[in-house]
Structure formats: C-alpha cells, structure tokens
Amino acid sequence: MTISLSERQQCVVVVGVGASQGIGAAVSRRFAQEGLKVYVVGRTLEKAEQIATKIKNNHGDAVGYCLDAEDPIQVQQLFQSISLSQEQLVAVIHNVGGNVPSIFLQSSLKFFSKMWHSTFLSAFWVSQNCLKIFQQQKAGTLIFTGASASLRGKPFFAAFTMGKSALRAYALNLAQQYKAQNIHIAHVVIDGMVDGDRVNKALFGLGRLARMTRGTGGLNIDAIAENYWMLYQQTADLWTHELDLRPHQEKF
C-alpha cells in the first residue's frame, strides 16, 4: 500500500558525521530535537551509531549509517533505501571534507585528486541522488558545508581551496536551477576554526592551543547547528542561498 506524502515519517540525512563534538553531530542532534528521524551518516559505523544512540537516549529518533560518500553506489543505496521505506526526505546536509594543509610544489597529483574527491565529488553524488527524491516530492532542503577556502585561498591550502571553491560554485548554481521547484539549496561558509574535536585534538592538543591563541575562541558547533535549522525553517517567500558564519572576532 502506498502511503501519502503527508502520512510519511519525515527524515533528515546528515552526511559527514564523525566526532561527537563536530558540526555533523551537532546538526544531527538539532534536527532530532524537532522530532525528525535523522540518518547519522559517516565513514565509521561505530562513531555514527554512538551519536545515534545518544540522540535516542534523549528521546530522539536516529539511526547510524556507514558509507563512503565518494562511492556513488553506496550513496545511491542509502537514498534508495529511504525511498523504499516510504519516508519523506525533508532535508540533506552535506558536511564532508577535511582541511589538510600541503606545500604546493611538494603536493602530488594523487593528493590533489583525493582532496577533490572528498570536498567536491562526494557532494556531487549526494546531490544527484537526493535531488531526484526532492523533485518527486516537489519539496526539500539541501545544505552544503563550505569553508573560508570557498571564498579565498591561503598558503598551504591550495588543494582544499580547489575543492571547496568548486563546491560553492556548484551549490549556488543548483540553487538557481531548483528554486522554482520548491527545493531550497544553501551553501554555508564556516569561516574560522571550529570548536570541536577535530581541531581540539589535532596534533596532540596543539590544535586547541592554536584556536585559543587566535583570540576568536572558535565557532560554537551548537550555534552552527542552530543556523542550519534556521535555513531549513525558511519558507519559499524568502530563502537564504549563502550564509557566512564566523566568530565576532574573526576578520573579514
């Protein structure tokens, strides 16, 4: 029996969830607070399931899911399973791509290719699959996590800038294409160091020291998640397609 769209359970997919104190985990928790089922998707099943379990312990609905977002077959299988479950996919958050510095003249083509696959190609596969569902539903929200590198390159981050700047151009292009179909697409520039496990535990704690000595304190992950929820809540009367988030001390 086919269930009408209004009767289906609403769900959200957050791709790129790793540390329990990270953007992906914070966004998963925020959407679950509103009664939405959250697919907590990451490369490591144990980490994804730990975050999903914490959400369920707080009376939320979540499931841990493991996949490589750079693998088109694995991404396709995830969204096919959601379609077969007859759930209503209301939002997808793409939060993939770590910042790895390198010296340009010492960087191999293999390294550049790997960074491009992580920061951009994974977004291509995710968007191709979820947009098909959104078109069928005639509604949906797709949010991409960007970075300072989306707007400007800095020394030692040529490879990261390549992927993130391509992602920004791609996201804003999709936003123009699909807004008339009631599909909201947004790109979020995370400008500054994030106050999460990835930074704080980097280089045996030196990452946390670097964050604190910069004087910005870092971007609060729960505040970031609140802004993602705000984007999802927007109506077609007025949509934000790009949002720039930074600590108040961070320079423009």
Side-chain angles (χ1 to χ4, degrees):
M1 182 179 68
T2 302
I3 303 173
S4 67
L5 193 60
S6 61
E7 296 175 316
R8 296 180 183 181
Q9 181 179 17
Q10 293 186 331
C11 71
V12 177
V13 172
V14 183
V15 183
V17 183
S20 60
Q21 293 302 309
I23 294 175
V27 171
S28 297
R29 291 191 290 266
R30 183 64 186 89
F31 278 73
Q33 287 176 14
E34 303 296 333
L36 299 170
K37 178 180 178 180
V38 180
Y39 284 85
V40 182
V41 182
R43 282 181 176 270
T44 306
L45 182 59
E46 182 181 3
K47 291 181 179 180
E49 287 185 333
Q50 285 177 351
I51 294 166
T53 298
K54 289 182 180 179
I55 289 173
K56 288 184 282 189
N57 289 341
N58 284 299
H59 311 292
D61 189 359
V63 57
Y65 195 100
C66 179
L67 64 69
D68 179 356
E70 299 168 32
D71 186 324
I73 302 301
Q74 292 184 35
V75 175
Q76 184 181 47
Q77 288 174 343
L78 167 62
F79 288 101
Q80 282 182 341
S81 68
I82 293 173
S83 295
L84 291 174
S85 68
Q86 295 192 322
E87 295 173 337
Q88 182 186 2
L89 181 64
V90 296
V92 173
I93 290 83
H94 177 272
N95 183 58
V96 182
N99 189 344
V100 180
S102 67
I103 298 174
F104 179 71
L105 291 180
Q106 297 177 18
S107 299
S108 66
L109 178 59
K110 181 179 180 180
F111 175 79
F112 264 73
S113 180
K114 181 176 177 60
M115 289 292 290
W116 180 79
H117 276 76
S118 173
T119 52
F120 176 77
L121 190 60
S122 61
F124 175 79
W125 296 131
V126 169
S127 58
Q128 272 217 332
N129 283 273
C130 74
L131 285 171
K132 293 175 184 177
I133 297 175
F134 288 163
Q135 281 184 308
Q136 293 172 352
Q137 298 175 164
K138 298 180 181 179
T141 299
L142 173 58
I143 302 173
F144 297 98
T145 299
S148 309
S150 305
L151 301 171
R152 61 188 184 278
K154 291 186 176 180
F156 309 114
F157 297 106
F160 186 65
T161 300
M162 171 191 64
K164 283 299 185 181
S165 59
L167 174 62
R168 177 178 184 258
Y170 178 68
L172 296 179
N173 179 266
L174 290 181
Q176 290 291 329
Q177 290 186 52
Y178 289 95
K179 62 180 182 179
Q181 299 181 47
N182 197 36
I183 299 171
H184 182 194
I185 299 176
H187 176 259
V188 181
V189 176
I190 306 296
D191 196 345
M193 300 180 81
V194 174
D195 185 8
D197 286 346
R198 176 176 289 179
V199 169
N200 291 331
K201 294 182 179 180
L203 300 175
F204 305 101
L206 290 177
R208 181 179 182 276
L209 179 63
R211 176 178 62 78
M212 297 302 295
T213 54
R214 286 187 64 189
T216 64
L219 288 97
N220 181 280
I221 57 172
D222 293 321
I224 293 172
E226 191 64 41
N227 277 275
Y228 280 56
W229 175 253
M230 177 273 293
L231 289 172
Y232 169 71
Q233 286 285 91
Q234 290 182 334
T235 66
D237 295 327
L238 192 65
W239 275 343
T240 298
H241 293 298
E242 184 163 61
L243 187 64
D244 189 329
L245 299 178
R246 67 184 69 233
H248 68 275
Q249 305 100 323
E250 188 78 22
K251 296 180 179 179
F252 282 81

